[in-house]
Amino acid sequence: LLTITVFSCSRVALTGRKRLALIPESTMQSLALTQYKGFLGTNPPVKNTPEAIMQKKVGARLSKAVNEYMSSKGLTQQLAGFNWEFNLVSSKEINAWCMPGGKIVFYTGILPICKTDAGIACVMGHEVSHALANHGQQHMSAGMLQQLGAVGTAVAVGNQSSETQQLA
């Protein structure tokens, strides 16, 4: 496990922070796109309302700014496979989220808190930063290590008493 962890660490180009990356970003984006399309299939985006138009407008401005910034820093390769998409979904839940590759969803329940373009930009910027830092990749990699550790522990204590197995 230690060897896998050491050799799977990489740096987030934008922040310099180390991250665990067991799965290639291209694979993450492909998986995310499938899940994203499935989510939108059962939760159709809100369209042509003032709120949906405002959310799309802010998303377009923010993605343009991100692309320009990354280009100015020589980091355009970090956006490989990104296709920014911003959708508003009808839900009372106060939430927004992103997936690898720049797929971002806002729930209508968060709009009364955001109130303005600036409020939407703050929340959206937060979500964009998750995408740029490859947090989805890091979370999935950590989950894989946890599962591997659990399997290893189960094998190691397989011959022990049931109490010892439960404790492990």
Side-chain angles (χ1 to χ4, degrees):
L1 284 176
L2 182 59
T3 302
I4 290 170
T5 303
V6 168
F7 288 108
S8 298
C9 284
S10 63
R11 287 208 181 270
V12 176
L14 191 58
T15 64
R17 180 181 58 82
K18 285 191 174 189
R19 67 162 180 226
L20 181 62
L22 296 174
I23 303 162
E25 181 62 19
S26 60
T27 301
M28 290 298 301
Q29 289 179 12
S30 177
L31 292 170
L33 183 59
T34 300
Q35 288 183 336
Y36 186 72
K37 286 179 178 179
F39 175 83
L40 293 179
T42 57
N43 302 277
V46 175
K47 296 183 181 209
N48 299 322
T49 65
E51 296 83 8
I53 292 167
M54 179 172 37
Q55 191 251 2
K56 291 271 190 194
K57 180 179 73 169
V58 171
R61 288 191 339 236
L62 189 56
S63 62
K64 181 180 180 221
V66 166
N67 291 340
E68 288 173 0
Y69 177 81
M70 296 295 273
S71 179
S72 76
K73 298 294 181 186
L75 298 172
T76 54
Q77 75 279 4
Q78 299 302 315
L79 296 176
F82 271 64
N83 183 15
W84 295 106
E85 191 174 320
F86 304 89
N87 280 296
L88 181 64
V89 172
S90 183
S91 172
K92 292 180 182 180
E93 191 173 341
I94 300 171
N95 199 13
W97 49 265
C98 84
M99 295 184 98
K103 306 300 182 212
I104 296 175
V105 169
F106 263 61
Y107 292 143
T108 53
I110 201 168
L111 295 177
I113 293 168
C114 294
K115 296 182 183 176
T116 65
D117 287 11
I120 290 173
C122 284
V123 173
M124 199 173 283
H126 173 87
E127 298 306 329
V128 165
S129 69
H130 284 302
L132 294 175
N134 302 100
H135 284 167
Q137 180 186 44
Q138 183 179 349
H139 289 297
M140 186 172 269
S141 295
M144 290 173 67
L145 276 182
Q146 289 171 344
Q147 289 177 347
L148 184 59
V151 168
T153 300
V155 169
V157 297
N159 294 332
Q160 303 295 319
S161 68
S162 62
E163 293 84 15
T164 302
Q165 290 178 23
Q166 289 177 355
L167 181 61

